[in-house]
Amino acid sequence: MRLRTDIFVSALLRRVFARGDFAAVEAKGAEAAGAVFVRQIFRDGAESLYAPAPQSVFGEDDSNRARLFETRLERVETAAVAEAIARERRFDSDLWVVSIETDDLGDLVEFAGAEPDDDGFFRR
């Protein structure tokens, strides 16, 4: 069973604040199963947008897997990100938008295709 969206977002915000960065929920969607979009804001004013990875990335045995993200826009103007989010909201009004002000997302979100190293103890 996948973690509820409201709990995932709450945990994400805690991790951001624990690193000393700032985050805010820009748009709150469905609490149980809303899609999460992450808006990364850099110090120079540029922004990146990360969206849920498509279902084709997940295998049949990945039903309990953490949320994966893909890069939609990278280091673009604020207006381009706002326009992309507006398009997505017309398609899915239950989505969440989380803005994170940091120059490095680090390990805050997991990206599709970026598999963690298997240490032999914890396996996916």
Side-chain angles (χ1 to χ4, degrees):
M1 189 166 104
R2 184 183 234 182
L3 189 64
R4 287 174 50 105
T5 303
D6 56 348
I7 296 171
F8 172 81
V9 170
S10 179
L12 177 60
L13 294 175
R14 270 185 194 259
R15 290 175 49 213
V16 170
F17 290 130
R19 288 178 26 163
D21 293 320
F22 178 77
V25 175
E26 239 183 83
K28 187 174 180 182
E31 292 180 353
V36 178
F37 285 74
V38 175
R39 184 179 198 166
Q40 181 182 11
I41 303 169
F42 297 91
R43 284 185 213 166
D44 64 2
E47 294 188 14
S48 293
L49 181 64
Y50 306 99
Q55 290 299 313
S56 61
V57 171
F58 295 91
E60 291 179 18
D61 58 341
D62 287 341
S63 62
N64 291 331
R65 183 146 180 169
R67 294 174 188 267
L68 292 178
F69 292 86
E70 68 176 2
T71 303
R72 286 279 177 91
L73 299 171
E74 191 165 4
R75 296 193 71 88
V76 297
E77 296 292 323
T78 302
V81 172
E83 181 181 315
I85 291 171
R87 276 194 314 269
E88 290 292 337
R89 286 195 65 76
R90 283 192 298 270
F91 177 73
D92 179 10
S93 62
D94 286 338
L95 65 84
W96 291 67
V97 179
V98 178
S99 294
I100 302 174
E101 292 182 9
T102 184
D103 284 336
D104 179 30
L105 283 180
D107 61 348
L108 291 173
V109 295
E110 191 175 336
F111 292 97
E115 288 294 320
D117 294 331
D118 184 2
D119 62 359
F121 186 70
F122 292 103
R123 298 179 196 268
R124 295 197 174 257

